[in-house]
Amino acid sequence: MARVVESSGGSDVQLSLESIRESLIRQEDTIVFSLIERAKFPLNSAAFEESRCLDSGNSSSLTEFFLREIETIQAKVGKYDNPEENPFFLDNIPHSVFPTHKYPPVLHPKASSVNINKRLWDVYFRELLPLFVKSGDDGNYASTAASDLACLQALSRRIHYGKFVAEVKFRDAPHDYEPAIRSKDTEALMKLLTFEKVEEMVKKRVEKKAETFGQEVKCVSGDESEKKYKVDPSLVSRIYGEWLIPLTKDVEVEYLLRRLD
């Protein structure tokens, strides 16, 4: 979690912008590796489009069933007590059965109401996945679902980190944000939150990471122009530019609209 600084009395909790940036950069590694791992399997659309459950009372796809079950287990050990984590199936989350860490209250109490995982689910399976995996079906549905789980949770964590980004930006300049928040001016908020130079730097960095982490390693020298990658690095940059960054900013706007409640 982003590092926080508490006063001696414990009532004043401050976010560190530097630690937020560091966390987002580390999350890039996780996302790139998860995409590389998923690319080992073909699309295997039957795993997430069809219900093949032998239980007649269950109409979920294999992937949805798998994710629901995993989230239940994770919730029971306190995963979703961490404000960085946002479940996909809100109706499926039990309380932890173990004592959990008391996270500092760095976000507004309405933060938990900001959850766009349903949108992410649809975007991931309909738009992102067909871009970086091969078409086809090898029947390896359980491993495919586990790989999709890793991707979805890594992407969700990054996108919903927008709550922390929005909070620190608001604290730095509340006078800039309050008028737009009070008037519910989403366009003005989006302009305040957008820094194109930073976004371009992020896109270049993740492309470089995809080149470094995902290249096919050869033990003999050869033509550098013939390098092969497990996932096209330019595609990783595109995923950030067209989906991850915009969705993160949507979360930031949704959070700020609740910030003065």
Side-chain angles (χ1 to χ4, degrees), residues 112-181:
S112 60
S113 68
V114 180
N115 186 317
I116 65 168
N117 275 337
K118 187 179 186 305
R119 283 176 60 192
L120 172 58
W121 181 280
D122 291 340
V123 165
Y124 176 77
F125 287 111
R126 294 177 183 176
E127 300 177 45
L128 299 189
L129 201 54
L131 289 178
F132 71 93
V133 302
K134 296 179 180 178
S135 60
D137 189 315
D138 66 359
N140 200 353
Y141 300 145
S143 295
T144 299
S147 188
D148 283 328
L149 167 67
C151 286
L152 284 166
Q153 290 191 330
L155 296 173
S156 173
R157 188 177 302 110
R158 200 281 180 193
I159 289 167
H160 288 94
Y161 224 76
K163 300 178 193 181
F164 292 92
V165 175
E167 177 64 23
V168 76
K169 288 180 179 179
F170 177 84
R171 292 189 187 187
D172 284 346
H175 54 280
D176 290 341
Y177 289 93
E178 286 181 2
I181 294 172

Side-chain angles (χ1 to χ4, degrees), residues 32 36 206-215 229 231 233 236:
V32 171
I36 290 171
V206 296
E207 182 170 355
K208 185 64 176 178
K209 287 183 177 183
E211 289 178 357
T212 303
F213 302 159
Q215 62 182 296
Y229 301 99
V231 174
V236 177

Side-chain angles (χ1 to χ4, degrees), residues 12-238:
D12 182 22
V13 182
Q14 297 181 337
L15 280 173
S16 164
L17 182 58
E18 180 182 355
S19 68
I20 289 176
R21 288 172 176 160
E22 290 174 353
S23 179
L24 289 172
I25 290 172
R26 290 195 301 272
Q27 288 178 47
E28 293 167 3
D29 300 353
T30 304
I31 289 170
V32 171
F33 278 120
S34 68
L35 296 176
I36 290 171
E37 284 298 300
R38 178 58 180 90
K40 293 191 303 186
F41 305 100
L43 188 60
N44 284 343
S45 60
F48 55 85
E49 288 182 347
E50 304 172 19
S51 174
R52 298 188 174 188
C53 187
L54 300 178
D55 180 356
S56 59
N58 189 332
S59 60
S60 301
S61 68
L62 184 151
T63 302
E64 179 181 335
F65 176 80
F66 180 78
L67 185 50
R68 282 182 179 274
E69 293 295 307
I70 292 296
E71 284 194 341
T72 298
I73 294 172
Q74 291 175 332
K76 287 182 177 180
V77 295
K79 179 182 178 73
Y80 299 106
D81 289 347
N82 183 343
E84 289 185 4
E85 304 294 347
N86 295 265
F88 280 83
F89 300 103
L90 295 167
D91 59 337
N92 199 48
I93 302 303
H95 294 294
S96 174
V97 297
F98 293 94
T100 57
H101 177 69
K102 301 300 181 185
Y103 294 93
V106 296
L107 298 177
H108 188 276
K110 290 290 185 71
S112 60
S113 68
V114 180
N115 186 317
I116 65 168
N117 275 337
K118 187 179 186 305
R119 283 176 60 192
L120 172 58
W121 181 280
D122 291 340
V123 165
Y124 176 77
F125 287 111
R126 294 177 183 176
E127 300 177 45
L128 299 189
L129 201 54
L131 289 178
F132 71 93
V133 302
K134 296 179 180 178
S135 60
D137 189 315
D138 66 359
N140 200 353
Y141 300 145
S143 295
T144 299
S147 188
D148 283 328
L149 167 67
C151 286
L152 284 166
Q153 290 191 330
L155 296 173
S156 173
R157 188 177 302 110
R158 200 281 180 193
I159 289 167
H160 288 94
Y161 224 76
K163 300 178 193 181
F164 292 92
V165 175
E167 177 64 23
V168 76
K169 288 180 179 179
F170 177 84
R171 292 189 187 187
D172 284 346
H175 54 280
D176 290 341
Y177 289 93
E178 286 181 2
I181 294 172
R182 295 187 190 282
S183 63
K184 307 295 183 184
D185 190 339
T186 57
E187 287 189 16
L189 288 173
M190 189 63 75
K191 288 181 181 178
L192 287 167
L193 295 165
T194 299
F195 296 90
E196 292 183 358
K197 288 184 179 180
V198 174
E199 293 176 11
E200 286 301 315
M201 180 179 66
V202 170
K203 289 161 58 179
K204 289 179 181 179
R205 186 170 60 235
V206 296
E207 182 170 355
K208 185 64 176 178
K209 287 183 177 183
E211 289 178 357
T212 303
F213 302 159
Q215 62 182 296
E216 298 283 357
V217 178
K218 297 181 179 180
C219 295
V220 293
S221 59
D223 186 353
E224 289 292 309
S225 65
E226 295 181 358
K227 280 187 177 180
K228 293 183 178 180
Y229 301 99
K230 299 178 178 71
V231 174
D232 183 352
S234 66
L235 183 55
V236 177
S237 176
R238 181 184 167 195

